[in-house]
Each structure stands twice: as C-alpha cells, then as structure tokens.
Amino acid sequence: MSEKTRYTDEELEEFRQIINEKLALAKRDYDQMMDSLTNRDSNDVDDTSPTYKALEEGSEAQSKEDLMKFASRQQKFIQGLKAALVRIDNKTYGIDRITGKLIPAERLRAVPHATLSVESKELEKKRKL
C-alpha cells in the first residue's frame, strides 16, 4: 500500500469544522479585545479624582499595550485559520510545506493552521539558530 499523499474529502470536512469553530471563537475574542481597547464596552463614568486617575493611567497604558499585542497575535491566528480553509478548498491542507508529507491528524486537530509537522518545525528552528 502506498503512502497517503492527502487527506480524504471526509477528513478535510472534519478539519473544516474544527477550523470554523476555532475561527468563530478567535473572531469573538478579537472583537472583545477591540471593544475593550476602544472603550466600546464601557458604560461607566470616568473617575473624577485626580490622584486616582494619575495612578490608574500607568497601569492602564501597560494593559492597553498588552491588549494590543494580544489583539495582533489573535489577528495573525485568524489569518492562519483562514489560510487553512483555503488549503482545504485546494485539497492541499495538512501537507507539510517542507517535506510534502502529511502532517499527523492529531497535530492538525491541536493546531489546525499548522503547515509543518513537529519534525519540520524543529528542523526549521535549528536552521534559524
């Protein structure tokens, strides 16, 4: 029996469902972060105490910076998931971009936007060092 070169249409549909679920959650989280950053979710009145306000501004700036990093990372994750859906449509999903072999289904279930097997990822890391 020859080695499998791509996932079956049924398997691709299973991955599509996993990706769509993760995509919906990722978009929801991203939207919540953006709401928080733009104060769209705030209905409270700003505190008028100057001392309190001065203490809050430092930590508020730090948390906004952290939130921006998370939002940026989330956006990258969403793009990765969307690219994975394109690969499913092209029937190239789950194929390691270095070796051309199938990425194990367990890895794809855990990291559905993966384009490398664990082995290829380790090799790539070593090459960058």
Side-chain angles (χ1 to χ4, degrees):
M1 188 173 139
S2 65
E3 194 174 331
K4 200 166 143 177
T5 57
R6 80 168 191 89
Y7 282 105
T8 66
D9 290 348
E10 293 77 24
E11 289 167 321
L12 290 176
E13 280 310 307
E14 177 197 337
F15 291 126
R16 184 188 306 274
Q17 283 183 324
I18 292 169
I19 292 168
N20 281 328
E21 286 169 17
K22 288 194 183 271
L23 193 54
L25 287 173
K27 284 179 178 177
R28 186 200 68 199
D29 291 349
Y30 177 77
D31 288 343
Q32 287 174 347
M33 285 180 226
M34 294 313 290
D35 286 348
S36 184
L37 280 168
T38 58
N39 292 321
R40 283 190 296 222
D41 61 352
S42 178
N43 61 358
D44 61 350
V45 178
D46 283 340
D47 193 309
T48 52
S49 163
T51 311
Y52 176 77
K53 196 134 183 92
L55 292 171
E56 282 291 298
E57 283 176 4
S59 64
E60 196 175 301
Q62 180 61 47
S63 61
K64 275 202 184 219
E65 198 174 300
D66 290 343
L67 205 51
M68 285 295 288
K69 285 181 197 169
F70 288 132
S72 177
R73 210 174 292 142
Q74 195 69 357
Q75 197 169 31
K76 192 175 175 187
F77 179 56
I78 289 168
Q79 289 169 340
L81 291 171
K82 286 180 177 179
L85 288 173
V86 170
R87 290 193 302 278
I88 285 175
D89 290 340
N90 296 339
K91 300 191 188 308
T92 59
Y93 179 79
I95 299 170
D96 185 308
R97 64 183 159 84
I98 292 178
T99 65
K101 294 181 180 176
L102 281 185
I103 298 169
E106 303 76 45
R107 173 158 170 74
L108 293 172
R109 286 185 189 103
V111 186
H113 58 293
T115 59
L116 296 172
S117 65
V118 173
E119 295 79 13
S120 291
K121 193 166 177 76
E122 293 299 319
L123 281 173
E124 195 175 69
K125 270 187 200 172
K126 284 178 186 171
R127 267 190 240 141
K128 287 181 180 176
L129 292 178

